[in-house]
């Protein structure tokens, strides 16, 4: 149970730390909703793009099946390094937000199931997925060490939390688009917190994998 709780905590921290930018992009998407660009295109596209990121990160879990957990914990240095890099370069960073065009005709059908499938297959959905994947490319470097060394149960908890939070992110963005002041605060101060969250995440990964104990044992064991 402790291991699953640790997996839950890591998943929440990792998702929030790596997807603050997605809130801003989702805000932009929802602001463009009209007859041709529907909310379901954004939601389905977000899930498709995030699923692609997860698939690209799974080699970390597969490698963890053969490498001792304590050594895998050293991968926690990666988010720590990224956090320090963002902290140093924070003032010079700019956010590039890609937009989607809305020049496709909306397909509709009276059958709910057919309408659902048409929404998934709609070109707008894939454009949102492409933007999500492009914006989340850096997430892979965080998720690989996060997945490494996990059991199948812990990985299941992590993925479950991730996909649940994707839906929460979409809901939050949809609500924030109606509150411009809150969206401004998030865009202004959210990035300042991310480096510290990434550093804490890296330390948590190392602690949960027992890496600190390995270091202390190597240093003082002889």
């Amino acid at each position: 149970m402790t291991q699953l709780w640790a997996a839950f905590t890591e998943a929440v921290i990792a998702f929030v730390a790596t997807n603050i930018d997605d809130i801003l992009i989702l805000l932009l998407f929802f602001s463009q909703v009209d007859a041709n660009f529907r909310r379901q295109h954004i939601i389905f596209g977000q899930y498709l793009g995030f699923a692609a990121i997860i698939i690209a990160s799974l080699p970390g879990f597969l490698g963890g099946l053969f490498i001792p957990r304590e050594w895998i914990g050293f991968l926690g240095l990666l988010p720590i390094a990224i956090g320090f890099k963002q902290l140093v370069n924070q003032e010079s960073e700019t956010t590039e937000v890609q937009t989607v065009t809305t020049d496709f005709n909306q397909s509709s059908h009276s059958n709910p199931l057919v309408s659902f499938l048409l929404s998934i297959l709609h070109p707008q959905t894939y454009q949102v997925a492409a933007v999500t994947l492009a914006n989340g490319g850096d997430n892979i470097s965080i998720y690989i060490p996060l997945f490494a060394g996990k059991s199948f149960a812990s990985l299941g908890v992590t993925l479950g939390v991730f996909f649940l939070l994707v839906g929460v992110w979409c809901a939050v963005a949809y609500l924030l688009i109606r509150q411009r002041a809150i969206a401004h605060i998030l865009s202004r101060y959210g990035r300042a917190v991310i480096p510290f969250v990434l550093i804490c995440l890296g330390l948590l990964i190392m602690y949960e994998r027992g890496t600190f104990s390995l270091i202390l044992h190597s240093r003082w064991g002889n």
Side-chain angles (χ1 to χ4, degrees), residues 3-19 50 54 139 142-143 145-147 150 153-166 169 197-198 201 204-205 208-209:
Q3 188 180 41
L4 297 182
W5 178 251
F8 175 85
T9 303
E10 286 182 350
V12 172
I13 295 174
F15 186 91
V16 173
T18 55
N19 289 280
F50 191 78
I54 294 299
N139 295 13
I142 306 297
Y143 295 163
L146 181 70
F147 293 166
K150 286 189 177 299
S154 295
L155 180 65
V157 170
T158 299
L159 296 183
V161 170
F162 273 9
F163 283 104
L164 175 63
L165 289 178
V166 169
W169 239 230
V197 176
L198 289 176
L201 175 63
L204 180 61
I205 289 173
E208 197 274 333
R209 306 301 188 278

Side-chain angles (χ1 to χ4, degrees), residues 76-86 199:
L77 294 174
L78 187 56
I80 292 174
I82 294 174
F84 276 114
K85 180 180 178 182
Q86 290 188 6
I199 293 171

